[in-house]
Amino acid sequence: MATILGVPASPYVRKAMLAHTVKQVPFEIKMVPPGSDDPTFREASPLGKIPAYQTDQGTLISDSSVIIAYLERVHPENALYPENSEKYGQALWLEEYADTKMAEATNALYFQRVVGPAFFDHTTDEERVEQVINELIPPVLDFLESKLISEHYFIGSAMSVADVAIGSNLMSLERAGYEIDREKWPKVSSFFTNFMALEAAQKQQATEDQIFNR
Ligand SMILES: N[C@@H](CCC(=O)N[C@@H](CS)C(=O)NCC(=O)O)C(=O)O
């Protein structure tokens, strides 16, 4: 069985886990923090970032986007990449947006309110929280609102890697106590409600609850 190396509470590890669960591909988790000296992790992830991955053939790779692309090739069922080339391009772009610009905002709040206090003995900087909530998050939600054509999926009429990447970031916001304003971003709010109703999202949340409620 394939192994994801990382901590499930990381949004990028979460993204890789969600992709496996949505595609109904079993996996194991090896709990490895970023920068770990674990030899398998170092070989898989020379940048020291999580997630890293060991395929069931023993090959070592890393990066959530790479892992999901590999997964799709090996397990094409319950596809996460649209067949149509134009939609495929759009899905990859939204995944990239989620992993970079969106993550800059969501990770900042998630660190201040959740990860920092839980794992790094960090006291929440309320000024930074205000700045992230007022300046970083709204333009991201505005952009996503403009891209949503349905209440379920960002691209076409099926779940894609874009939904997984964006949903994973929105889960960080929820864990950080941020509620999406329905008046301002009705489509994103409905998308997230539907995303969280997915069995895969509920399973992921339950796994993370165990980490934070310890
Ligand atoms: N592009 C990478 C980003 C992974 C990433 O930045 N992971 C964070 C944890 S959430 C990390 O390991 N940070 C440690 C570091 O940057 O050194 C992916 O999609 O997997």
mmCIF file of all heavy atoms in Angstrom, residues 10-12 15 34-35 47-51 63-65 99 107, ligand 1:
data_model
loop_
_atom_site.group_PDB
_atom_site.id
_atom_site.type_symbol
_atom_site.label_atom_id
_atom_site.label_comp_id
_atom_site.label_asym_id
_atom_site.label_seq_id
_atom_site.Cartn_x
_atom_site.Cartn_y
_atom_site.Cartn_z
ATOM 1 N N SER A 10 -1.634 19.292 8.027
ATOM 2 C CA SER A 10 -1.071 20.182 6.996
ATOM 3 C C SER A 10 -2.037 20.241 5.832
ATOM 4 O O SER A 10 -2.512 19.216 5.349
ATOM 5 C CB SER A 10 0.284 19.638 6.521
ATOM 6 O OG SER A 10 0.459 19.906 5.134
ATOM 7 N N PRO A 11 -2.334 21.470 5.321
ATOM 8 C CA PRO A 11 -3.295 21.553 4.214
ATOM 9 C C PRO A 11 -2.861 20.792 2.969
ATOM 10 O O PRO A 11 -3.704 20.299 2.220
ATOM 11 C CB PRO A 11 -3.386 23.053 3.922
ATOM 12 C CG PRO A 11 -2.332 23.713 4.733
ATOM 13 C CD PRO A 11 -1.892 22.779 5.802
ATOM 14 N N TYR A 12 -1.545 20.671 2.753
ATOM 15 C CA TYR A 12 -1.072 19.960 1.553
ATOM 16 C C TYR A 12 -1.143 18.440 1.759
ATOM 17 O O TYR A 12 -1.437 17.705 0.821
ATOM 18 C CB TYR A 12 0.351 20.391 1.204
ATOM 19 C CG TYR A 12 0.453 21.862 0.888
ATOM 20 C CD1 TYR A 12 0.925 22.772 1.832
ATOM 21 C CD2 TYR A 12 0.061 22.352 -0.345
ATOM 22 C CE1 TYR A 12 1.019 24.125 1.550
ATOM 23 C CE2 TYR A 12 0.140 23.704 -0.647
ATOM 24 C CZ TYR A 12 0.620 24.587 0.313
ATOM 25 O OH TYR A 12 0.697 25.932 0.025
ATOM 26 N N LYS A 15 -4.734 17.614 1.443
ATOM 27 C CA LYS A 15 -5.126 17.577 0.027
ATOM 28 C C LYS A 15 -4.805 16.207 -0.583
ATOM 29 O O LYS A 15 -5.644 15.620 -1.287
ATOM 30 C CB LYS A 15 -4.355 18.688 -0.703
ATOM 31 C CG LYS A 15 -4.612 18.819 -2.182
ATOM 32 C CD LYS A 15 -3.665 19.889 -2.757
ATOM 33 C CE LYS A 15 -3.460 19.717 -4.242
ATOM 34 N NZ LYS A 15 -2.211 20.351 -4.716
ATOM 35 N N PRO A 34 7.450 18.523 8.938
ATOM 36 C CA PRO A 34 8.335 19.157 7.958
ATOM 37 C C PRO A 34 9.764 19.195 8.501
ATOM 38 O O PRO A 34 9.967 19.366 9.698
ATOM 39 C CB PRO A 34 7.786 20.578 7.836
ATOM 40 C CG PRO A 34 6.411 20.531 8.383
ATOM 41 C CD PRO A 34 6.354 19.397 9.363
ATOM 42 N N GLY A 35 10.730 19.000 7.615
ATOM 43 C CA GLY A 35 12.141 19.090 8.023
ATOM 44 C C GLY A 35 12.649 17.886 8.778
ATOM 45 O O GLY A 35 13.785 17.897 9.272
ATOM 46 N N LEU A 47 13.447 18.940 -0.213
ATOM 47 C CA LEU A 47 13.136 20.295 0.249
ATOM 48 C C LEU A 47 12.658 20.289 1.701
ATOM 49 O O LEU A 47 12.455 21.333 2.298
ATOM 50 C CB LEU A 47 12.045 20.916 -0.644
ATOM 51 C CG LEU A 47 12.355 21.011 -2.140
ATOM 52 C CD1 LEU A 47 11.191 21.676 -2.883
ATOM 53 C CD2 LEU A 47 13.645 21.788 -2.387
ATOM 54 N N GLY A 48 12.437 19.097 2.242
ATOM 55 C CA GLY A 48 11.991 18.985 3.635
ATOM 56 C C GLY A 48 10.517 19.299 3.830
ATOM 57 O O GLY A 48 10.037 19.484 4.944
ATOM 58 N N LYS A 49 9.761 19.379 2.733
ATOM 59 C CA LYS A 49 8.347 19.748 2.837
ATOM 60 C C LYS A 49 7.460 18.502 2.863
ATOM 61 O O LYS A 49 7.802 17.469 2.265
ATOM 62 C CB LYS A 49 7.939 20.619 1.645
ATOM 63 C CG LYS A 49 8.681 21.937 1.619
ATOM 64 C CD LYS A 49 8.127 22.851 0.548
ATOM 65 C CE LYS A 49 8.936 24.141 0.550
ATOM 66 N NZ LYS A 49 8.261 25.235 -0.102
ATOM 67 N N ILE A 50 6.307 18.644 3.524
ATOM 68 C CA ILE A 50 5.319 17.563 3.524
ATOM 69 C C ILE A 50 4.153 17.984 2.635
ATOM 70 O O ILE A 50 3.848 19.179 2.556
ATOM 71 C CB ILE A 50 4.842 17.225 4.959
ATOM 72 C CG1 ILE A 50 4.292 18.482 5.689
ATOM 73 C CG2 ILE A 50 5.976 16.622 5.759
ATOM 74 C CD1 ILE A 50 3.663 18.203 7.035
ATOM 75 N N PRO A 51 3.506 17.039 1.924
ATOM 76 C CA PRO A 51 3.696 15.596 2.006
ATOM 77 C C PRO A 51 4.806 15.078 1.104
ATOM 78 O O PRO A 51 5.074 15.631 0.039
ATOM 79 C CB PRO A 51 2.353 15.065 1.485
ATOM 80 C CG PRO A 51 1.934 16.080 0.463
ATOM 81 C CD PRO A 51 2.401 17.403 1.011
ATOM 82 N N ASP A 63 5.410 16.390 -3.012
ATOM 83 C CA ASP A 63 4.575 17.505 -3.484
ATOM 84 C C ASP A 63 3.157 16.994 -3.755
ATOM 85 O O ASP A 63 2.953 16.049 -4.525
ATOM 86 C CB ASP A 63 5.154 18.150 -4.761
ATOM 87 C CG ASP A 63 4.421 19.433 -5.099
ATOM 88 O OD1 ASP A 63 3.301 19.352 -5.592
ATOM 89 O OD2 ASP A 63 4.970 20.523 -4.835
ATOM 90 N N SER A 64 2.186 17.670 -3.128
ATOM 91 C CA SER A 64 0.789 17.213 -3.225
ATOM 92 C C SER A 64 0.305 17.130 -4.672
ATOM 93 O O SER A 64 -0.388 16.180 -5.061
ATOM 94 C CB SER A 64 -0.129 18.129 -2.404
ATOM 95 O OG SER A 64 -0.105 19.449 -2.920
ATOM 96 N N SER A 65 0.693 18.114 -5.497
ATOM 97 C CA SER A 65 0.220 18.106 -6.898
ATOM 98 C C SER A 65 0.819 16.922 -7.657
ATOM 99 O O SER A 65 0.135 16.271 -8.456
ATOM 100 C CB SER A 65 0.601 19.407 -7.600
ATOM 101 O OG SER A 65 0.078 20.504 -6.904
ATOM 102 N N ASP A 99 -2.998 26.387 -4.140
ATOM 103 C CA ASP A 99 -1.750 26.016 -3.459
ATOM 104 C C ASP A 99 -0.833 27.203 -3.203
ATOM 105 O O ASP A 99 0.110 27.092 -2.420
ATOM 106 C CB ASP A 99 -0.969 24.994 -4.311
ATOM 107 C CG ASP A 99 -1.602 23.604 -4.292
ATOM 108 O OD1 ASP A 99 -2.568 23.396 -3.534
ATOM 109 O OD2 ASP A 99 -1.133 22.732 -5.052
ATOM 110 N N ASN A 107 -3.212 29.789 5.076
ATOM 111 C CA ASN A 107 -2.155 29.288 5.976
ATOM 112 C C ASN A 107 -1.789 30.314 7.038
ATOM 113 O O ASN A 107 -1.435 29.953 8.163
ATOM 114 C CB ASN A 107 -0.895 28.911 5.179
ATOM 115 C CG ASN A 107 -1.073 27.626 4.400
ATOM 116 O OD1 ASN A 107 -2.031 26.892 4.604
ATOM 117 N ND2 ASN A 107 -0.147 27.345 3.488
HETATM 118 N N1 LIG B 1 3.993 22.651 -3.031
HETATM 119 C C1 LIG B 1 4.061 21.775 -1.889
HETATM 120 C C2 LIG B 1 3.973 22.621 -0.620
HETATM 121 C C3 LIG B 1 4.166 21.774 0.627
HETATM 122 C C4 LIG B 1 4.400 22.635 1.848
HETATM 123 O O1 LIG B 1 4.751 23.846 1.783
HETATM 124 N N2 LIG B 1 4.224 22.012 3.019
HETATM 125 C C5 LIG B 1 4.491 22.708 4.254
HETATM 126 C C6 LIG B 1 3.621 22.163 5.388
HETATM 127 S S1 LIG B 1 1.951 22.676 5.231
HETATM 128 C C7 LIG B 1 5.919 22.448 4.651
HETATM 129 O O2 LIG B 1 6.378 21.325 4.628
HETATM 130 N N3 LIG B 1 6.638 23.505 5.039
HETATM 131 C C8 LIG B 1 7.974 23.375 5.503
HETATM 132 C C9 LIG B 1 8.926 24.217 4.712
HETATM 133 O O3 LIG B 1 8.492 24.989 3.849
HETATM 134 O O4 LIG B 1 10.121 24.081 4.957
HETATM 135 C C10 LIG B 1 2.928 20.751 -1.975
HETATM 136 O O5 LIG B 1 1.933 21.013 -2.658
HETATM 137 O O6 LIG B 1 3.065 19.660 -1.401
#
